[in-house]
Amino acid sequence: MYTKIESSANEFYKHLKKLQTKKERDKTLHYVAEGIRAVADAVKNKADIYAIVLCEGYDPEINLENQKVYKLSQKLFDDVKETVTSQGIMAVINYKIQNFKGSHIAA
């Protein structure tokens, strides 16, 4: 099951758009992975996935059971994708800052 988003006024869409900036990624500890391979690897390796984002008309061939899934209209998806030829799928993934002897490393 998924949540359909068709308006740029939607709060999740606004969050996704803001993740294009390093400042927002650092603030929320979220990053975006685009493409079927990146998303499939994240699912397979049990990454801490906040949400999966699909473009309308895209039918993933991976199991997204137990994932929060949003389906965006083509226009909205085009506004948030960063790749030139998108595959129609991306994941918003949580990450943690770990401190190793005084240095900060994103993991």
Side-chain angles (χ1 to χ4, degrees):
M1 195 61 189
Y2 60 85
T3 302
K4 191 169 186 176
I5 299 175
E6 296 178 331
S7 170
S8 60
N10 177 279
E11 287 302 314
F12 179 75
Y13 171 78
K14 288 179 184 179
H15 173 63
L16 195 56
K17 187 87 171 141
K18 286 179 185 177
L19 287 175
Q20 293 176 330
T21 67
K22 181 176 180 348
K23 180 180 178 181
E24 186 69 13
R25 291 190 302 271
D26 289 346
K27 178 179 151 189
T28 62
L29 299 179
H30 288 159
Y31 71 95
V32 177
E34 288 190 55
I36 187 64
R37 188 174 191 175
V39 174
D41 284 347
V43 170
K44 177 182 167 188
N45 293 306
K46 296 178 177 43
D48 187 7
I49 298 173
Y50 177 76
I52 302 287
V53 182
L54 303 174
C55 182
E56 73 181 351
Y58 180 80
D59 187 24
E61 297 177 8
I62 59 173
N63 183 359
L64 298 179
E65 201 172 296
N66 300 321
Q67 299 292 340
K68 188 183 330 178
V69 180
Y70 293 93
K71 193 167 266 197
L72 272 59
S73 68
Q74 182 71 52
K75 181 188 179 320
L76 294 180
F77 193 89
D78 287 345
D79 286 345
V80 295
K81 71 179 177 76
E82 300 216 356
T83 57
V84 176
T85 52
S86 174
Q87 295 177 326
I89 186 169
M90 60 180 75
V92 178
I93 302 173
N94 296 309
Y95 69 91
K96 299 174 188 153
I97 301 293
Q98 297 180 352
N99 190 352
F100 293 100
K101 296 183 182 178
S103 63
H104 293 286
I105 300 172

